[in-house]
Amino acid sequence: KAGVTQTPRYLIKTRGQQVTLSCSPISGHRSVSWYQQTPGQGLQFLFEYFSETQRNKGNFPGRFSGRQFSNSRSEMNVSTLELGDSALYLCASSLIASNTEAFFGQGTRLTVV
Amino acid sequence: GNSVTQMEGPVTLSEEAFLTINCTYTATGYPSLFWYVQYPGEGLQLLLKATKADDKGSNKGFEATYRKETTSFHLEKGSVQVSDSAVYFCALSDTGTASKLTFGTGTRLQVTL
């Protein structure tokens, strides 16, 4: 079956703009988590959604937001982009919220110029 | 808060050499522990996991044992192959799921012929 799909794969934005990234989980998976990966900070948890509700949130400013739709697809939005937001954004899905295996997508590479 | 400390890389080994990548953690309670692998240009793949003390996770010749007394989860493989070249991440979850992970900084492994 299809894996976790993230779109777009690559994105270039200008400082001050906003961006929306999309994640389609594996069919039947209802939990979606987002991570930011940078050379300096490594992999950091952004937030998790389950059944359209945010269950957990990492330590990121309010410019980072997300949502989940009834079909479990998720989007994350970053407003007022800063150079430091340049990163690989990874999405992971799990079958249910209590599952101990997360499947990751290939990520969206965001470059802010 | 939770944290994961991994040995610095890169680690360079000859094919068929023995591999150890050290991982120690700080967490409250009884976290679940994971090793993920990231190949170039790819997302993360779950390599193995352990959910309670003394559990041994194993997959593709890799092993790691959950040691609560030393708060460690070291990754080992008896004979590495060139195809094992990748970045390895140790991670923990204190929610009992894989949906909110705290990652180590990653250890790059390079295996040469």
Side-chain angles (χ1 to χ4, degrees):
Chain A
K1 58 183 174 182
V4 177
T5 303
Q6 292 188 244
T7 56
R9 289 292 311 278
Y10 302 92
L11 207 49
I12 300 175
K13 289 287 188 178
T14 304
R15 266 184 305 177
Q17 287 186 313
Q18 74 164 10
V19 67
T20 298
L21 312 181
S22 179
C23 172
S24 293
I26 292 172
S27 178
H29 285 198
R30 293 169 59 196
S31 173
V32 173
S33 298
W34 289 88
Y35 294 84
Q36 181 195 64
Q37 185 176 24
T38 61
Q41 300 297 316
L43 278 153
Q44 294 185 286
F45 172 77
L46 278 157
F47 27 66
E48 179 216 352
Y49 287 87
F50 177 73
S51 293
E52 302 178 65
T53 301
Q54 187 179 85
R55 278 172 25 102
N56 288 295
K57 190 176 190 308
N59 189 25
F60 278 80
R63 300 185 297 106
F64 291 81
S65 63
R67 58 178 176 169
Q68 186 180 35
F69 302 94
S70 58
N71 62 358
S72 294
R73 189 177 71 85
S74 177
E75 290 181 347
M76 67 163 282
N77 184 275
V78 188
S79 62
T80 319
L81 284 165
E82 300 176 0
L83 295 179
D85 297 332
S86 294
L88 181 66
Y89 290 88
L90 292 166
C91 165
S93 76
S94 299
L95 185 58
I96 53 178
S98 60
N99 194 270
T100 57
E101 182 160 4
F103 295 84
F104 282 79
Q106 292 183 292
T108 294
R109 171 77 62 187
L110 171 65
T111 302
V112 182
V113 297
Chain B
N2 298 334
S3 67
V4 176
T5 302
Q6 283 183 244
M7 63 187 288
E8 292 285 330
V11 173
T12 303
L13 295 173
S14 298
E15 201 170 44
E16 299 184 3
F18 184 86
L19 168 71
T20 299
I21 300 178
N22 290 337
C23 170
T24 58
Y25 68 89
T26 301
T28 54
Y30 302 93
S32 296
L33 301 173
F34 307 84
W35 276 101
Y36 281 86
V37 58
Q38 187 175 35
Y39 297 100
E42 302 288 326
L44 278 72
Q45 299 175 25
L46 178 65
L47 184 59
L48 51 85
K49 65 183 179 186
T51 57
K52 60 183 187 296
D54 299 325
D55 266 2
K56 177 186 283 190
S58 61
N59 185 27
K60 299 180 181 179
F62 291 90
E63 293 184 338
T65 301
Y66 188 151
R67 300 286 188 200
K68 192 173 188 327
E69 63 276 13
T70 55
T71 61
S72 65
F73 193 54
H74 304 322
L75 182 68
E76 296 181 335
K77 187 176 186 184
S79 176
V80 294
Q81 306 299 312
V82 171
S83 57
D84 294 327
S85 298
V87 181
Y88 292 80
F89 292 91
C90 184
L92 71 80
S93 169
D94 64 359
T95 62
T97 76
S99 54
K100 183 187 175 187
L101 297 166
T102 299
F103 285 91
T105 53
T107 301
R108 181 175 300 278
L109 170 66
Q110 181 70 45
V111 181
T112 60
L113 290 171

mmCIF file of all heavy atoms in Angstrom, chain A residues 76-99:
data_model
loop_
_atom_site.group_PDB
_atom_site.id
_atom_site.type_symbol
_atom_site.label_atom_id
_atom_site.label_comp_id
_atom_site.label_asym_id
_atom_site.label_seq_id
_atom_site.Cartn_x
_atom_site.Cartn_y
_atom_site.Cartn_z
ATOM 1 N N MET A 76 0.348 21.585 7.661
ATOM 2 C CA MET A 76 0.952 22.505 8.609
ATOM 3 C C MET A 76 1.226 23.827 7.902
ATOM 4 O O MET A 76 1.500 23.858 6.695
ATOM 5 C CB MET A 76 2.224 21.953 9.247
ATOM 6 C CG MET A 76 3.397 21.770 8.338
ATOM 7 S SD MET A 76 4.929 21.591 9.298
ATOM 8 C CE MET A 76 5.261 23.286 9.750
ATOM 9 N N ASN A 77 1.102 24.887 8.643
ATOM 10 C CA ASN A 77 1.266 26.219 8.095
ATOM 11 C C ASN A 77 2.320 26.967 8.902
ATOM 12 O O ASN A 77 2.355 26.859 10.135
ATOM 13 C CB ASN A 77 -0.074 26.959 8.166
ATOM 14 C CG ASN A 77 -0.003 28.330 7.531
ATOM 15 O OD1 ASN A 77 0.397 29.289 8.185
ATOM 16 N ND2 ASN A 77 -0.376 28.426 6.274
ATOM 17 N N VAL A 78 3.174 27.669 8.197
ATOM 18 C CA VAL A 78 4.123 28.550 8.866
ATOM 19 C C VAL A 78 3.897 29.951 8.314
ATOM 20 O O VAL A 78 3.982 30.165 7.093
ATOM 21 C CB VAL A 78 5.584 28.128 8.633
ATOM 22 C CG1 VAL A 78 6.513 28.965 9.512
ATOM 23 C CG2 VAL A 78 5.776 26.644 8.916
ATOM 24 N N SER A 79 3.595 30.882 9.205
ATOM 25 C CA SER A 79 3.366 32.260 8.765
ATOM 26 C C SER A 79 4.611 33.100 9.033
ATOM 27 O O SER A 79 5.483 32.718 9.822
ATOM 28 C CB SER A 79 2.159 32.845 9.498
ATOM 29 O OG SER A 79 2.416 32.888 10.884
ATOM 30 N N THR A 80 4.697 34.207 8.359
ATOM 31 C CA THR A 80 5.799 35.167 8.537
ATOM 32 C C THR A 80 7.134 34.431 8.578
ATOM 33 O O THR A 80 7.847 34.439 9.599
ATOM 34 C CB THR A 80 5.597 35.998 9.822
ATOM 35 O OG1 THR A 80 4.228 36.371 9.954
ATOM 36 C CG2 THR A 80 6.441 37.259 9.752
ATOM 37 N N LEU A 81 7.460 33.789 7.497
ATOM 38 C CA LEU A 81 8.643 32.951 7.437
ATOM 39 C C LEU A 81 9.924 33.704 7.782
ATOM 40 O O LEU A 81 10.104 34.872 7.407
ATOM 41 C CB LEU A 81 8.782 32.337 6.040
ATOM 42 C CG LEU A 81 7.844 31.179 5.737
ATOM 43 C CD1 LEU A 81 7.803 30.898 4.241
ATOM 44 C CD2 LEU A 81 8.252 29.941 6.521
ATOM 45 N N GLU A 82 10.792 32.988 8.499
ATOM 46 C CA GLU A 82 12.117 33.507 8.831
ATOM 47 C C GLU A 82 13.169 32.597 8.206
ATOM 48 O O GLU A 82 12.893 31.430 7.896
ATOM 49 C CB GLU A 82 12.286 33.529 10.356
ATOM 50 C CG GLU A 82 11.269 34.384 11.071
ATOM 51 C CD GLU A 82 11.403 34.315 12.584
ATOM 52 O OE1 GLU A 82 12.301 33.582 13.071
ATOM 53 O OE2 GLU A 82 10.612 34.974 13.286
ATOM 54 N N LEU A 83 14.379 33.135 8.059
ATOM 55 C CA LEU A 83 15.446 32.331 7.453
ATOM 56 C C LEU A 83 15.664 31.032 8.232
ATOM 57 O O LEU A 83 15.940 29.985 7.657
ATOM 58 C CB LEU A 83 16.752 33.138 7.392
ATOM 59 C CG LEU A 83 16.761 34.363 6.495
ATOM 60 C CD1 LEU A 83 18.113 35.059 6.571
ATOM 61 C CD2 LEU A 83 16.425 34.003 5.051
ATOM 62 N N GLY A 84 15.520 31.113 9.529
ATOM 63 C CA GLY A 84 15.731 29.951 10.392
ATOM 64 C C GLY A 84 14.686 28.868 10.247
ATOM 65 O O GLY A 84 14.835 27.785 10.814
ATOM 66 N N ASP A 85 13.629 29.142 9.494
ATOM 67 C CA ASP A 85 12.605 28.121 9.263
ATOM 68 C C ASP A 85 13.009 27.171 8.141
ATOM 69 O O ASP A 85 12.317 26.180 7.899
ATOM 70 C CB ASP A 85 11.270 28.780 8.909
ATOM 71 C CG ASP A 85 10.724 29.636 10.031
ATOM 72 O OD1 ASP A 85 11.035 29.346 11.210
ATOM 73 O OD2 ASP A 85 9.981 30.593 9.748
ATOM 74 N N SER A 86 14.095 27.473 7.477
ATOM 75 C CA SER A 86 14.603 26.576 6.433
ATOM 76 C C SER A 86 14.930 25.230 7.076
ATOM 77 O O SER A 86 15.717 25.153 8.027
ATOM 78 C CB SER A 86 15.858 27.158 5.790
ATOM 79 O OG SER A 86 15.561 28.345 5.090
ATOM 80 N N ALA A 87 14.326 24.184 6.563
ATOM 81 C CA ALA A 87 14.463 22.873 7.197
ATOM 82 C C ALA A 87 13.804 21.814 6.332
ATOM 83 O O ALA A 87 13.114 22.117 5.360
ATOM 84 C CB ALA A 87 13.801 22.876 8.577
ATOM 85 N N LEU A 88 14.014 20.568 6.745
ATOM 86 C CA LEU A 88 13.255 19.446 6.204
ATOM 87 C C LEU A 88 12.113 19.191 7.172
ATOM 88 O O LEU A 88 12.346 18.992 8.365
ATOM 89 C CB LEU A 88 14.138 18.210 6.083
ATOM 90 C CG LEU A 88 13.481 16.954 5.512
ATOM 91 C CD1 LEU A 88 13.097 17.146 4.045
ATOM 92 C CD2 LEU A 88 14.401 15.744 5.664
ATOM 93 N N TYR A 89 10.897 19.234 6.685
ATOM 94 C CA TYR A 89 9.726 18.996 7.529
ATOM 95 C C TYR A 89 9.204 17.598 7.237
ATOM 96 O O TYR A 89 8.850 17.266 6.107
ATOM 97 C CB TYR A 89 8.653 20.059 7.277
ATOM 98 C CG TYR A 89 9.083 21.402 7.812
ATOM 99 C CD1 TYR A 89 9.827 22.281 7.028
ATOM 100 C CD2 TYR A 89 8.801 21.771 9.133
ATOM 101 C CE1 TYR A 89 10.270 23.497 7.534
ATOM 102 C CE2 TYR A 89 9.233 22.974 9.643
ATOM 103 C CZ TYR A 89 9.976 23.835 8.841
ATOM 104 O OH TYR A 89 10.424 25.023 9.346
ATOM 105 N N LEU A 90 9.188 16.792 8.288
ATOM 106 C CA LEU A 90 8.799 15.398 8.166
ATOM 107 C C LEU A 90 7.456 15.156 8.825
ATOM 108 O O LEU A 90 7.168 15.679 9.897
ATOM 109 C CB LEU A 90 9.845 14.495 8.814
ATOM 110 C CG LEU A 90 11.211 14.438 8.116
ATOM 111 C CD1 LEU A 90 12.243 13.805 9.034
ATOM 112 C CD2 LEU A 90 11.110 13.652 6.829
ATOM 113 N N CYS A 91 6.679 14.337 8.176
ATOM 114 C CA CYS A 91 5.384 13.932 8.687
ATOM 115 C C CYS A 91 5.447 12.429 8.963
ATOM 116 O O CYS A 91 6.101 11.681 8.215
ATOM 117 C CB CYS A 91 4.319 14.248 7.643
ATOM 118 S SG CYS A 91 2.733 13.467 7.889
ATOM 119 N N ALA A 92 4.807 12.011 10.032
ATOM 120 C CA ALA A 92 4.757 10.586 10.371
ATOM 121 C C ALA A 92 3.333 10.200 10.707
ATOM 122 O O ALA A 92 2.605 10.975 11.319
ATOM 123 C CB ALA A 92 5.675 10.298 11.558
ATOM 124 N N SER A 93 2.941 9.009 10.305
ATOM 125 C CA SER A 93 1.586 8.559 10.638
ATOM 126 C C SER A 93 1.636 7.243 11.398
ATOM 127 O O SER A 93 2.552 6.440 11.238
ATOM 128 C CB SER A 93 0.728 8.425 9.377
ATOM 129 O OG SER A 93 1.035 7.259 8.631
ATOM 130 N N SER A 94 0.627 7.071 12.244
ATOM 131 C CA SER A 94 0.453 5.838 13.005
ATOM 132 C C SER A 94 -0.979 5.376 12.858
ATOM 133 O O SER A 94 -1.886 6.180 12.659
ATOM 134 C CB SER A 94 0.755 6.062 14.486
ATOM 135 O OG SER A 94 2.077 6.472 14.685
ATOM 136 N N LEU A 95 -1.153 4.075 13.024
ATOM 137 C CA LEU A 95 -2.484 3.503 12.846
ATOM 138 C C LEU A 95 -3.481 4.119 13.824
ATOM 139 O O LEU A 95 -4.559 4.574 13.456
ATOM 140 C CB LEU A 95 -2.404 1.983 13.044
ATOM 141 C CG LEU A 95 -3.679 1.178 12.780
ATOM 142 C CD1 LEU A 95 -4.165 1.389 11.363
ATOM 143 C CD2 LEU A 95 -3.438 -0.295 13.048
ATOM 144 N N ILE A 96 -3.115 4.097 15.090
ATOM 145 C CA ILE A 96 -3.941 4.708 16.127
ATOM 146 C C ILE A 96 -3.023 5.463 17.071
ATOM 147 O O ILE A 96 -1.808 5.311 17.016
ATOM 148 C CB ILE A 96 -4.749 3.662 16.924
ATOM 149 C CG1 ILE A 96 -3.821 2.570 17.472
ATOM 150 C CG2 ILE A 96 -5.854 3.080 16.075
ATOM 151 C CD1 ILE A 96 -4.511 1.537 18.313
ATOM 152 N N ALA A 97 -3.583 6.257 17.930
ATOM 153 C CA ALA A 97 -2.777 7.130 18.788
ATOM 154 C C ALA A 97 -1.892 6.334 19.732
ATOM 155 O O ALA A 97 -0.843 6.797 20.142
ATOM 156 C CB ALA A 97 -3.681 8.065 19.563
ATOM 157 N N SER A 98 -2.282 5.130 20.066
ATOM 158 C CA SER A 98 -1.501 4.359 21.039
ATOM 159 C C SER A 98 -0.528 3.392 20.372
ATOM 160 O O SER A 98 0.129 2.615 21.035
ATOM 161 C CB SER A 98 -2.446 3.571 21.951
ATOM 162 O OG SER A 98 -3.238 2.689 21.178
ATOM 163 N N ASN A 99 -0.414 3.485 19.077
ATOM 164 C CA ASN A 99 0.476 2.573 18.345
ATOM 165 C C ASN A 99 1.929 2.951 18.564
ATOM 166 O O ASN A 99 2.254 4.125 18.708
ATOM 167 C CB ASN A 99 0.139 2.627 16.855
ATOM 168 C CG ASN A 99 0.762 1.490 16.094
ATOM 169 O OD1 ASN A 99 1.871 1.593 15.607
ATOM 170 N ND2 ASN A 99 0.045 0.395 16.004
#
